[in-house]
Amino acid sequence: MNSKQTKNTPITILEDVFGTTKDGVTVKRFKMNNENGMEVSIITYGGIITSLKVPNKNNVSEDVVLGYNLLSDYEKSTPYFGALIGRYGNRIAKGKFSIDGKEYTLQANDGPNHLHGGVKGFDKVVWSAEVLNDVGALKLSYLSKDMEEGYPGNLHTEVIYTLTNDNVLEVFYRATTDKKTIVNLTQHSYFNLSGDFSKPILDHIVSINANKFIPVDANLIPTGKLKDVANTPFDFREPKKIGQEINIEHEQLKRGLGYDHCWVLNDQNQAMRFTASAHEPNSGRLLEVFSSEPGIQLYTGNFLDGTLPNKQGGTYAYRTGFCLETQHYPDSPNQKEFPSTILKPGEVYSSKTSFKFSIK
Ligand code: GLA
């Protein structure tokens, strides 16, 4: 949590009802406002950020995240718009992994693989909410039961969203278990910093603080080797347009249908550091992402195809949003060389990511 905030910080947090699930559960919405024109709306279903309003260079606040106006649309079909992802973000090959010689089998919900926690992951459950007014934060909690979606151990998860007056939205994750398990939590917001959801994101200028990325096979599972970004379209060490090289002939771009890869972030020491940025020159909006995680997945909305309704009366067309998902590497439970995602009883999983907005 941001220690700079005091009791007097005028972050206002208002609560209303967003909707009722098809099982009859009430879903609350919390609107957090700061004194600099930022407004974040978060619902208890999936911990989803349904809207994130940020000022442009003319000080006009507009929504910069993809999502829906209606809960029923989230329940019907969503490519994880704005959601918390768990218990394991990204893919696990064939949904199988072993802990201490015992094999566990998860649902294959993405071709042959397990993706983003399964059929009913953390993005589709209703979280308990507590407003922490003194620090301008919303605390969400969820107990994922032993063997839920096939994962061992009762996992107590807490996610704290904190808004600050310097236009930072911080996401703090904490989890404990009573049996050895695997954990990899992330936030799946799709950004379009233009504020216009009919515009593709190809003109956003992106940088990623990574010298290497993780090549994948035809099913988007890491081959196990890390590759230097130098002389590849995956080099974002100097800022460049997302669209600059997205359509060039490259086997990895073909497999991802664009960018849908995890980068190996520099300076891996668990401390918060700069990981990536995105700048949309017309609006002037700049997003900078800081994180304690070792990796970041850049996904460029390659599966958006104009079938899902947007919040502005149209639909979400191809590449009208991009995600920067901080995380451990895909398929870590099956890749011995990758940083471990195992959580043991008595240990505390903790992870932090900040999304900082400004004008450039
Ligand atoms: C992740 C995956 C993508 C895709 C999206 C949701 O970012 O890496 O392949 O599944 O989620 O559509």
Side-chain angles (χ1 to χ4, degrees):
M1 233 169 295
N2 192 302
S3 52
K4 276 180 291 181
Q5 293 202 28
T6 66
K7 276 203 163 66
N8 303 320
T9 305
I11 301 290
T12 58
I13 305 180
L14 296 177
E15 174 184 335
D16 65 0
V17 171
F18 187 67
T20 306
T21 66
K22 42 184 193 308
D23 301 332
V25 181
T26 302
V27 171
K28 296 178 187 168
R29 171 173 55 186
F30 295 86
K31 277 192 186 171
M32 310 169 80
N33 278 272
N34 73 3
E35 61 185 21
N36 286 310
M38 208 168 137
E39 182 190 87
V40 186
S41 298
I42 296 163
I43 58 172
T44 50
Y45 180 83
I48 293 172
I49 299 174
T50 55
S51 125
L52 203 167
K53 294 182 182 158
V54 187
N56 67 7
K57 62 186 176 198
N58 301 319
N59 217 16
V60 178
S61 283
E62 289 164 315
D63 196 356
V64 298
V65 293
L66 277 49
Y68 300 127
N69 292 323
L70 298 174
L71 179 63
S72 54
D73 285 332
Y74 285 105
E75 285 190 285
K76 214 182 291 162
S77 169
T78 168
Y80 308 94
F81 282 148
L84 293 176
I85 305 294
R87 186 178 298 201
Y88 195 95
N90 218 315
R91 293 174 175 78
I92 296 176
K94 301 191 174 71
K96 288 192 188 299
F97 67 98
S98 297
I99 297 178
D100 297 338
K102 185 169 169 22
E103 187 176 81
Y104 294 93
T105 303
L106 311 169
Q107 295 264 6
N109 60 333
D110 184 62
N113 302 317
H114 177 84
L115 175 69
H116 290 338
V119 173
K120 192 173 180 184
F122 290 6
D123 58 300
K124 292 182 187 69
V125 301
V126 179
W127 295 64
S128 304
E130 187 189 341
V131 172
L132 308 177
N133 268 316
D134 52 343
V135 284
L138 176 71
K139 177 165 141 185
L140 300 177
S141 322
Y142 177 66
L143 168 63
S144 168
K145 298 250 175 70
D146 186 23
M147 295 314 286
E148 187 173 304
E149 291 292 323
Y151 293 96
N154 288 296
L155 189 79
H156 282 269
T157 309
E158 278 176 15
V159 176
I160 301 178
Y161 285 110
T162 306
L163 178 64
T164 73
N165 278 320
D166 44 7
N167 287 2
V168 174
L169 176 65
E170 184 186 284
V171 194
F172 174 71
Y173 307 83
R174 186 180 189 280
T176 54
T177 184
D178 58 2
K179 255 191 213 165
K180 258 194 200 176
T181 189
I182 54 171
V183 189
N184 188 26
L185 305 178
T186 190
Q187 221 295 333
H188 209 296
S189 282
Y190 287 65
F191 298 97
N192 187 326
L193 300 178
S194 75
D196 179 350
F197 300 145
S198 68
K199 280 196 189 143
I201 43 73
L202 299 175
D203 286 341
H204 285 60
I205 298 163
V206 162
S207 76
I208 303 177
N209 180 25
N211 297 338
K212 290 179 190 292
F213 78 105
I214 305 176
V216 290
D217 68 14
N219 290 317
L220 301 189
I221 294 295
T223 59
K225 296 203 178 73
L226 309 181
K227 195 170 172 5
D228 285 339
V229 295
N231 305 313
T232 75
F234 294 81
D235 192 350
F236 282 94
R237 291 173 298 176
E238 290 299 322
K240 71 175 184 219
K241 283 188 182 171
I242 292 182
Q244 193 166 309
E245 292 170 312
I246 200 169
N247 291 322
I248 73 171
E249 265 302 301
H250 190 282
E251 194 182 33
Q252 285 298 317
L253 288 174
K254 229 183 261 168
R255 290 183 177 167
L257 304 173
Y259 296 108
D260 192 356
H261 294 77
C262 190
W263 271 254
V264 176
L265 290 165
N266 296 338
D267 316 318
Q268 297 199 355
N269 57 7
Q270 294 296 302
M272 291 284 275
R273 81 301 199 195
F274 172 75
T275 65
S277 67
H279 176 226
E280 201 282 307
N282 280 326
S283 65
R285 290 189 184 94
L286 171 69
L287 163 64
E288 292 165 287
V289 183
F290 299 82
S291 184
S292 58
E293 283 298 312
I296 196 165
Q297 181 96 359
L298 168 64
Y299 167 62
T300 47
N302 312 316
F303 296 119
L304 297 175
D305 60 2
T307 52
L308 303 171
N310 77 22
K311 289 181 271 185
Q312 299 169 338
T315 59
Y316 290 115
Y318 188 47
R319 295 184 175 156
T320 47
F322 67 93
C323 305
L324 285 168
E325 307 155 51
T326 53
Q327 57 188 240
H328 273 56
Y329 310 158
D331 199 35
S332 295
N334 297 309
Q335 309 250 2
K336 288 198 184 62
E337 307 293 314
F338 289 180
S340 171
T341 50
I342 299 255
L343 182 70
K344 300 178 189 148
E347 291 178 347
V348 178
Y349 168 95
S350 78
S351 166
K352 211 199 258 187
T353 293
S354 291
F355 299 95
K356 180 174 179 19
F357 294 90
S358 59
I359 299 298
K360 186 177 163 185

